[in-house]
Amino acid sequence: MKVTGTNKRKLNTGVVFFYVINFFVLISFSKFHTNPIYHIINSVLTIMLFLYWGLTYIEHRIKLTTINILSLLYLVCIYGYSIYIGSLQGFSDPFIVITLILFICYAFTHHPRELFVAALIFYVFFGVWQFYLEITYSYVDEFEVTENWLVENKNVVVRYFLPGMMFTLLNSNCNNYGLLSYKTVVPLTLLATTIIMSTSATGIIGTLLFLFFAFLFKNKMPQRLTINAFLILTMASFALILFYNVQENFTQYLELFGKDATLSNRTEVWFFAVEQFLRNPILGNGVGSVIEGANPLMEFHHAHNYWLEALRATGLIGTGMLLTIYVISSNNFKKQGNGNASTRLFVITIITFLIMGIDESLTNAYMLIPILNLSGVKGVNKVK
């Protein structure tokens, strides 16, 4: 793979350091937020970065792409409504993804190498930390483990570290290291092992799928393998499970991942989530709202399905906007062509998240929408 002119210039260490700070502030691990002082400081820094990147776009007259505008409108609408009805608990939550979009799109356009290196530093540092904690506090039950790990839920570990695997391969492609180079193998193995050791079935499947797709399509990807195709496939799969219980025909395979026909009682949660959606189908019940169960003592924090969570939290309006973002992103990536390594990795990452979204709501997947927004970046074809 050839190194383009964009990649030949000397690495700007000052920019790398600043980008590392951006990652550290915006992708903050839940363990830290148990400390109220840290939470306040992190919230203030998030707002400061939001203002910085907003002013940067204004000062340099950087035009937002169609998908940027739609994503920002979507986030403002769903978070604004959630704040209005009082369902949103985190004050800085609305600013995190918005700031990540502005930061990632700018950095990928102007300093792609610095972005990849900064991401690699961030994810490897916290990957080692999480790996150490997983070894020290081995899996006993979910509540005991999550009090000690950086990521306080085993199912969320993959949502933090899968983008790190993507950035590892982006950095490898950008610098022409090769898949078998230690600079690629070591961080990729660390992050993959960290996810697998969390013992989350969804995380294990997602990691294996990402690696399978990444190595299978390292040179070229079929034109039909698009985000839109997997939108239809994953939605259809969920509908078959929800309405026809097709998973009951594969119980012997589910047992390999510690699952049963109820998918760890997810089918029960889906029933209550559908009921909640039908009570407020247009606007939804707000981001951060809980799902009430059969009695007042039974409640669930999310729907355990990506699109059902979108429907019950943001209604038909919010879900329609989110679906439009995916469709536009898919079309943009398709126009760029599958001959570009960065495009392939973005698509593979999003596809993997969509598959995991069949039985997970993908909360805390902060990088998902920013990656979708990279489909509109003009500089995407400069990074081979």
Side-chain angles (χ1 to χ4, degrees), residues 108 166 170 333 342-350 374 380:
F108 190 82
M166 178 196 75
L170 283 169
F333 280 132
S342 56
T343 299
R344 290 197 302 274
L345 284 170
F346 295 147
V347 172
I348 288 169
T349 304
I350 295 165
L374 286 173
V380 71

Side-chain angles (χ1 to χ4, degrees), residues 64-90:
L64 297 174
T65 63
T66 301
I67 194 168
N68 287 157
I69 295 172
L70 183 58
S71 296
L72 296 179
L73 180 63
Y74 162 74
L75 293 167
V76 168
C77 288
I78 65 168
Y79 281 120
Y81 174 68
S82 299
I83 292 172
Y84 174 74
I85 64 175
S87 66
L88 190 67
Q89 302 299 320

Side-chain angles (χ1 to χ4, degrees), residues 270-281 284-286 289-292 300 309 311-313:
W270 294 340
F271 172 78
F272 294 120
V274 170
E275 280 193 334
Q276 189 184 47
F277 161 67
L278 293 175
R279 289 197 293 267
N280 196 356
N285 299 273
S289 60
V290 297
I291 303 169
E292 297 177 355
F300 311 95
E309 174 66 14
L311 282 169
R312 73 108 200 158

Side-chain angles (χ1 to χ4, degrees), residues 202-219:
T202 304
I204 294 171
I205 293 171
T207 301
L208 296 178
L209 282 174
F210 175 84
L211 291 173
F212 174 76
F213 287 141
F215 282 89
L216 181 64
F217 304 127
K218 62 185 178 67
N219 295 318

Side-chain angles (χ1 to χ4, degrees), residues 152-310:
E152 295 189 340
N153 187 301
K154 65 174 185 176
N155 294 324
V156 181
V157 174
V158 66
R159 302 171 209 170
Y160 276 94
F161 291 108
L162 186 67
M165 296 171 65
M166 178 196 75
F167 278 114
T168 297
L169 293 176
L170 283 169
N171 187 61
S172 176
N173 288 323
C174 185
N175 292 284
N176 200 28
Y177 290 150
L179 290 176
L180 298 179
S181 167
Y182 76 93
K183 294 181 180 180
T184 304
V185 173
V186 172
L188 203 61
T189 302
L190 166 69
L191 296 174
T193 304
T194 300
I195 296 170
I196 292 172
M197 283 183 59
S198 70
T199 70
S200 166
T202 304
I204 294 171
I205 293 171
T207 301
L208 296 178
L209 282 174
F210 175 84
L211 291 173
F212 174 76
F213 287 141
F215 282 89
L216 181 64
F217 304 127
K218 62 185 178 67
N219 295 318
K220 190 175 181 181
M221 190 164 61
Q223 290 286 350
R224 295 181 180 179
L225 200 67
T226 64
I227 295 170
N228 284 341
F230 274 84
L231 278 174
I232 297 172
L233 179 63
T234 52
M235 287 180 177
S237 299
F238 175 65
L240 289 173
I241 296 172
L242 181 64
F243 298 112
Y244 298 100
N245 295 313
V246 294
Q247 78 280 7
E248 294 180 354
N249 299 317
F250 305 96
T251 52
Q252 66 272 32
Y253 301 109
L254 292 172
E255 289 173 358
L256 296 175
F257 297 95
K259 299 284 187 180
D260 55 21
T262 68
L263 301 176
S264 301
N265 297 319
R266 280 165 170 75
T267 52
E268 181 182 11
V269 179
W270 294 340
F271 172 78
F272 294 120
V274 170
E275 280 193 334
Q276 189 184 47
F277 161 67
L278 293 175
R279 289 197 293 267
N280 196 356
I282 306 300
L283 296 176
N285 299 273
V287 177
S289 60
V290 297
I291 303 169
E292 297 177 355
N295 59 70
L297 298 177
M298 182 187 294
E299 63 179 28
F300 311 95
H301 294 289
H302 54 85
H304 279 289
N305 173 267
Y306 185 53
W307 293 104
L308 182 55
E309 174 66 14

